[in-house]
Amino acid sequence: DNFPIYPVLVEDDPRWGGSTSETLSAIKDNLESSHWFVGILAEEFREWVEKEFKFAVSKYFKPRDIIMYVKTNRATSQAWQKLLDWLKKNNIKYLPYSSSKDLKSKLKIVLLLKIQEIHAKLKIKMY
């Protein structure tokens, strides 16, 4: 539909096997084929998500190509403290959100702007 967005959740996707090496390979392959990275952190810590964030930040994307949101509550701060500290040390900024509705409204604008930027870069008509 002329909108090149393909969110991936490799650790739960049977197309990539499920072994540690297969999941790691799938994450790297997907990061390599992406133009930008959207990271969203909420209360539940997941090791694969932390690894993906670190790969994205350190190896695959410039800061301007990383969009990050972190839920503003104590559970999220506690669950992700090590990663949040690491992101700060690497000068990666993230934006707060308070609920799914809040996140949706914030992401909608940013994603549309990124999509327009990619379409222009690739000379793909948007509408």
Side-chain angles (χ1 to χ4, degrees):
D1 295 330
N2 290 330
F3 283 84
I5 292 182
Y6 306 102
V8 178
L9 183 62
V10 295
E11 68 266 29
D12 291 338
D13 194 322
R15 291 178 293 173
W16 288 295
S19 73
T20 300
S21 63
E22 290 170 321
T23 300
L24 187 58
S25 177
I27 288 171
K28 289 178 179 180
D29 289 347
N30 282 291
L31 289 172
E32 285 175 7
S33 66
S34 298
H35 293 277
W36 39 282
F37 179 81
V38 176
I40 301 169
L41 296 179
E43 294 90 350
E44 181 186 346
F45 175 83
R46 292 186 7 244
E47 185 178 344
W48 282 115
V49 172
E50 182 177 55
K51 287 179 191 220
E52 186 175 17
F53 268 76
K54 287 184 175 183
F55 284 136
V57 169
S58 62
K59 296 182 181 182
Y60 293 96
F61 299 98
K62 295 175 183 160
R64 68 178 176 79
D65 294 324
I66 298 171
I67 303 165
M68 293 188 56
Y69 289 92
V70 177
K71 192 166 188 182
T72 53
N73 63 25
R74 183 181 298 261
T76 302
S77 295
Q78 290 175 341
W80 295 100
Q81 188 60 54
K82 285 171 52 180
L83 179 61
L84 293 172
D85 289 344
W86 185 86
L87 292 168
K88 287 177 190 174
K89 285 179 187 174
N90 286 277
N91 296 315
I92 302 299
K93 297 181 184 346
Y94 50 85
L95 301 168
Y97 74 96
S98 58
S99 65
S100 295
K101 183 178 179 180
D102 180 37
L103 176 63
K104 183 177 178 180
S105 67
K106 289 178 178 182
L107 257 180
K108 189 183 332 183
I109 295 167
V110 172
L111 292 179
L112 185 56
L113 290 172
K114 277 292 193 186
I115 292 168
Q116 288 174 330
E117 179 184 309
I118 290 170
H119 273 80
K121 183 178 178 179
L122 298 176
K123 297 181 171 95
I124 299 170
K125 278 190 151 188
M126 183 86 173
Y127 302 104

